[in-house]
């Protein structure tokens, strides 16, 4: 039985992807690690010798219908999330021996065997991890209202096994993300995540894991404490840390746990300081400074700002009608 972990990123995140792959195979040598690349190697100045030693599957090679249209409508964050079910479906179709395909965001490290993910898949097709399993204690960010906007489940991880339900889920998810994967909270969209709130309702065999060692990250630090100064880590002195998600962390700002939160500093949460320091060193070793300089092929050029003359016209259109007439009389078009 083949088991696969897939991640998705652009060239500038290959240090994170390599770090994930190395940590995965260190503890799970029976897995295959694949990188879905939302980028074009033939349009990049990167040398092949600089690429990580893992299979790279370029976005334009997986057969997405109307890919140009998909790329045109989304920014790079939206695009990287919109193509997730397309890549997962491609992996199932291309690797017929694969019975298990998990998705991990590239900014994750694995610290144990993935048996606590595989076990529920014996009787279920999908494994989801909620952002939190207990209420927040204060008014710092993130708050429960933030999760109502961005999703109950964190889709930086998704565990799946080959089954009709999984393939049906990927098809449904793919169709939603084709044109509704925007960051548009006012219209009920937050990339791929909000849609998966429906998964336990629409599909029968979805397992919601409350394992505290799965997907530990800034959003659940209020309920989880790391013990141990090195691998293996434990969470709350109760369960092993399976994988840690370093979302919003950048080695360039090593004193900040995540740019998306203000609940804790490393001084207030010293139990996680060591693991973040280790992660920063791993990223630097794996070429973070080099990879981050490569621009992504799919990043759109900024939209030109309106010319000042038309800004002035827009301003005067808000004035009484006669003032607009007088203004237009004076403007040469």
């Amino acid at each position: 039985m083949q088991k696969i972990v897939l991640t998705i990123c652009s060239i500038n995140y290959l240090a994170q992807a390599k770090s994930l792959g190395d940590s995965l195979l260190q503890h799970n040598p029976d897995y295959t690690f694949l990188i879905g690349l939302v980028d074009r190697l033939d349009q990049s100045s990167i040398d092949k010798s600089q690429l990580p030693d893992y299979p790279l599957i370029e976005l334009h090679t997986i057969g997405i219908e109307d890919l140009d249209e998909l790329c045109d409508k989304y920014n790079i964050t939206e695009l990287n999330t919109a193509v997730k079910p397309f890549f997962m479906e491609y992996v199932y179709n291309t690797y017929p021996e694969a019975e298990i395909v998990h998705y991990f965001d590239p900014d994750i490290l694995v610290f144990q065997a993935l048996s606590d993910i595989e076990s529920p898949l014996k009787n279920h097709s999908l494994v989801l991890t909620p952002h939190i399993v207990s209420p927040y204690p204060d008014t710092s960010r993130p708050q429960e209202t933030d999760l109502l906007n961005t999703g109950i489940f964190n889709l930086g991880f998704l565990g799946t096994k080959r089954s009709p339900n999984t393939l049906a889920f990927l098809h449904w998810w793919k169709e939603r993300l084709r044109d509704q994967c925007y960051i548009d909270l006012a219209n009920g969209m937050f990339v791929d995540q909000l849609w998966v709130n429906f998964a336990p309702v629409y599909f029968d065999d979805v397992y919601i894991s409350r394992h505290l060692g799965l997907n530990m990250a800034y959003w659940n630090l209020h309920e989880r404490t790391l013990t141990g100064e090195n691998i293996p880590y434990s969470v709350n002195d109760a369960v092993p840390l399976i994988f840690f998600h370093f979302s919003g962390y950048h080695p360039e700002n090593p004193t900040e746990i995540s740019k998306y939160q203000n609940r804790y500093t490393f001084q207030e949460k010293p139990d996680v300081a060591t693991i973040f320091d280790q992660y920063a060193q791993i990223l630097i070793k794996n070429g973070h400074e080099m990879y981050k300089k490569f621009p992504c092929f799919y990043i759109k050029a900024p939209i030109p700002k309106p010319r000042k003359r038309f800004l002035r016209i827009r301003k005067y259109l808000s004035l009484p009608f006669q003032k607009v007439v007088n203004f237009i009389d004076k403007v040469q078009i």
Side-chain angles (χ1 to χ4, degrees), residues 48 216 231 305 314:
K48 289 184 178 179
M216 185 171 176
I231 302 171
K305 294 182 179 180
R314 187 182 303 167

Side-chain angles (χ1 to χ4, degrees), residues 41-327:
L41 293 175
D42 61 353
Q43 300 296 318
S44 174
S45 61
I46 192 168
D47 190 271
K48 289 184 178 179
S49 65
Q50 298 173 305
L51 298 173
D53 192 23
Y54 293 112
L56 295 170
I57 306 170
E58 294 177 76
L59 177 62
H60 70 282
T61 69
I62 68 173
I64 297 179
E65 185 179 356
D66 298 323
L67 176 60
D68 290 343
E69 179 184 341
L70 193 74
C71 296
D72 286 343
K73 71 174 63 172
Y74 291 138
N75 66 33
I76 191 60
T77 300
E78 295 162 342
L79 181 63
N80 268 273
T81 53
V83 298
K84 196 178 296 180
F86 293 89
F87 267 113
M88 294 188 74
E89 187 178 73
Y90 173 85
V91 170
Y92 271 118
N93 291 336
T94 307
Y95 293 81
E97 299 300 316
E99 292 298 321
I100 285 178
V101 178
H102 304 316
Y103 171 80
F104 282 80
D105 270 356
D107 53 355
I108 285 174
L109 287 185
V110 177
F111 293 94
Q112 294 279 348
L114 299 183
S115 52
D116 286 307
I117 299 171
E118 294 176 15
S119 181
L121 286 174
K122 293 176 182 177
N123 299 310
H124 300 82
S125 289
L126 306 175
V127 177
L128 296 172
T129 51
H131 280 100
I132 58 176
V133 296
S134 62
Y136 286 119
D138 52 45
T139 58
S140 300
R141 309 304 293 267
Q143 268 294 307
E144 288 159 0
T145 50
D146 296 312
L147 302 185
L148 290 175
N149 279 328
T150 58
I152 299 301
F153 307 105
N154 178 259
L155 268 296
F157 161 74
L158 173 64
T160 75
K161 74 174 181 184
R162 185 184 294 274
S163 74
N165 243 12
T166 294
L167 298 180
F169 163 76
L170 291 176
H171 178 76
W172 164 80
W173 198 24
K174 182 177 69 172
E175 292 308 304
R176 295 301 179 275
L177 300 188
R178 184 177 285 280
D179 57 8
Q180 299 178 82
C181 191
Y182 295 102
I183 301 172
D184 186 0
L185 302 183
N187 286 300
M189 283 181 280
F190 184 73
V191 290
D192 61 322
Q193 280 191 175
L194 272 177
W195 287 110
V196 181
N197 286 353
F198 290 108
V201 180
Y202 291 167
F203 302 92
D204 292 334
D205 55 351
V206 176
Y207 183 81
I208 299 172
S209 177
R210 292 170 175 80
H211 190 303
L212 297 180
L214 296 179
N215 219 355
M216 185 171 176
Y218 76 83
W219 51 76
N220 51 41
L221 293 183
H222 70 289
E223 63 188 16
R224 308 182 196 196
T225 299
L226 279 186
T227 53
E229 295 183 358
N230 212 323
I231 302 171
Y233 292 101
S234 295
V235 181
N236 296 354
D237 278 326
V239 296
L241 173 67
I242 309 302
F243 65 90
F244 197 102
H245 193 163
F246 297 88
S247 177
Y249 173 76
H250 295 286
E252 296 84 359
N253 193 2
T255 62
E256 187 176 57
I257 290 176
S258 172
K259 64 182 180 180
Y260 302 124
Q261 69 91 42
N262 64 11
R263 179 168 281 107
Y264 296 115
T265 64
F266 285 119
Q267 288 72 32
E268 296 161 332
K269 200 81 171 79
D271 59 289
V272 299
T274 298
I275 200 172
F276 275 85
D277 182 58
Q278 290 173 341
Y279 186 55
Q281 294 179 43
I282 291 170
L283 290 184
I284 293 169
K285 176 185 174 184
N286 284 334
H288 173 67
E289 290 297 318
M290 173 190 67
Y291 287 124
K292 73 177 185 179
K293 297 175 183 177
F294 288 96
C296 176
F297 172 77
Y298 294 106
I299 291 181
K300 301 187 190 74
I303 299 173
K305 294 182 179 180
R307 293 165 60 185
K308 288 185 177 180
R309 180 175 64 187
F310 294 104
L311 288 175
R312 287 164 54 220
I313 291 174
R314 187 182 303 167
K315 171 186 174 183
Y316 276 89
L317 285 175
S318 64
L319 299 176
F321 182 75
Q322 188 56 50
K323 288 187 177 181
V324 174
V325 172
N326 294 338
F327 170 73

